[in-house]
Amino acid sequence: MADTAKRSSLLTALLDPIRPTADRAERAFQFTGSSRSWLIPGGLGIALLVVSAVGWVTDAKQFYFAYLVGWVFCLSLALGGLFFLFINHLPKAYWSVAVRRIPEALVWAFPLLAVLFIPLLFGMHDLYHWTHEDLYDPASPNYDEILAGKRVYLNTPFFLLRLAFYFFVWTVIAYKLYTLSVRQDVEADPQVPALQRRVSAWGLPLTGVTTAFASFDLLMSLDPHWFSTIFGVYFFSGSLLAALCLIALTAIVLQRGGMLRYVVTAEHYQDLGKLMFGFVVFWAYIAFSQYMLIWYGNIPEETVWYRYRFEHGWYYHSAALLFLHFVLPFLILLPRAPKRSIPVMSVMAVWLMIMHWFDLHWIAMPVLHHDHAGFHWLDFTCWLGLLLLFVGALFWRLSRHPLVPQRDPRLARSLRFENY
């Protein structure tokens, strides 16, 4: 009852800016933590990447694969945040306004991720078999007729040109959505929601196509003989699921720091939990659909990808994905109560983010170690180093502007939102 009264007081102040309490309402939306709090995860991330550099010297190929998995993991979080904005702007959703600044801060990571891609430029030969020039020489004993037929698409200059185009598209869309949102904090322009919907209307299909092709280029081409037309959807489903987890976890961390109190409530966590549950199911559906289509097609070029993941210990990783990425989260998130419980949501958000990394590891690592399954210490230092640096950038961006789009015309409805 006390929380409800405080939320009502905050809402009253918001709707009546003449009242003295309006200042207190606006302060409830500010980042009140230390302005340098982002240095802690950022510093730890840099330290772990320095440790990973030792592995770069001693085992370069392992480093490149581990770094690629960690980098793609962070990229998927930013892309998932972008899709979250699209699916809330287009239907004029109001429940998500209270948490929307978090994914808006997430999508500012694209320039940082572009810079962090630089180490992978030195590992192209180790990562991507199709970069080996002797594969395309008919006089060479390593000549590969299949890859020779794909050379128009799979070549280094075109690969890098495509990546540059993807990042240009993602950065422009993220910049437009974010700047419109923070502009509204100052100008209270009632046309901003319509402009955000307009950007989302053309941004969604463009981001969908570029995300699918990015997943083909970065992950699927690790095994260039294999192909799957559903792989882009598979990557999208995992990306949005991981982003939802990070959004929920960030809101919880901010509230533990005294921010967003009576703004983000159990009602918002329940809706985030519904989306997490939905994308756990959707990820499993797409994963099964891909497997089933390849299984009954029984084409050698396609089935070999799964053969590597069902042999030499990788079978246990495949089984773990089924039970730990789908069955367990499905059973936990199915009831209403866990989605309204902050401790449960915290654990599930962390768990599903770990499972998303595990999924990416399962996609990439059998290419390097098809004869044995396992983990290398570089897998963890690269992943956690990049993730902590990414989180540091997220909190730095959150500290720059109000934590809530405070003059959004739908904010009042978001604050009093309730599930029925």
Side-chain angles (χ1 to χ4, degrees), residues 56 63-64 67-68 71-72 75 109-124 127-128 130 156 159-161 163-164 167 214 217-218 386:
W56 191 352
F63 169 82
Y64 288 128
Y67 191 94
L68 176 69
W71 183 83
V72 171
L75 175 64
F110 290 117
L112 172 64
L113 290 168
V115 172
L116 292 174
F117 180 77
I118 292 174
L120 294 174
L121 292 174
F122 300 97
M124 292 283 291
L127 286 167
Y128 299 106
W130 50 263
T156 302
F159 174 87
L160 296 177
L161 183 63
L163 278 184
F167 272 89
D217 292 343
L218 294 167
L386 289 166

Side-chain angles (χ1 to χ4, degrees), residues 4 14 57 60 82 118 128 137 147 187 197 208 248 267 271-272 302 320-321 331 377 380 400 409 417:
T4 303
L14 179 68
V57 174
L82 201 52
I118 292 174
Y128 299 106
D137 182 3
L147 292 187
E187 300 177 4
R197 287 196 302 278
E267 310 298 333
D271 266 26
L272 286 169
E302 296 179 354
L321 269 180
L331 294 174
W377 64 267
F380 301 103
R400 304 288 291 175
F417 168 70

Side-chain angles (χ1 to χ4, degrees), residues 152-220:
V152 173
Y153 185 84
L154 289 179
N155 62 81
T156 302
F158 191 32
F159 174 87
L160 296 177
L161 183 63
R162 289 195 304 273
L163 278 184
F165 175 72
Y166 303 153
F167 272 89
F168 173 77
V169 169
W170 299 332
T171 303
V172 167
I173 296 172
Y175 176 80
K176 285 182 175 292
L177 290 177
Y178 187 81
T179 52
L180 281 170
S181 183
V182 296
R183 190 184 86 186
Q184 192 177 38
D185 287 344
V186 179
E187 300 177 4
D189 185 351
Q191 297 302 315
V192 166
L195 294 173
Q196 290 171 323
R197 287 196 302 278
R198 188 178 304 170
V199 172
S200 298
W202 60 262
L204 176 58
L206 192 54
T207 304
V209 172
T210 51
T211 297
F213 275 87
S215 71
F216 301 157
D217 292 343
L218 294 167
L219 294 175
M220 196 165 72

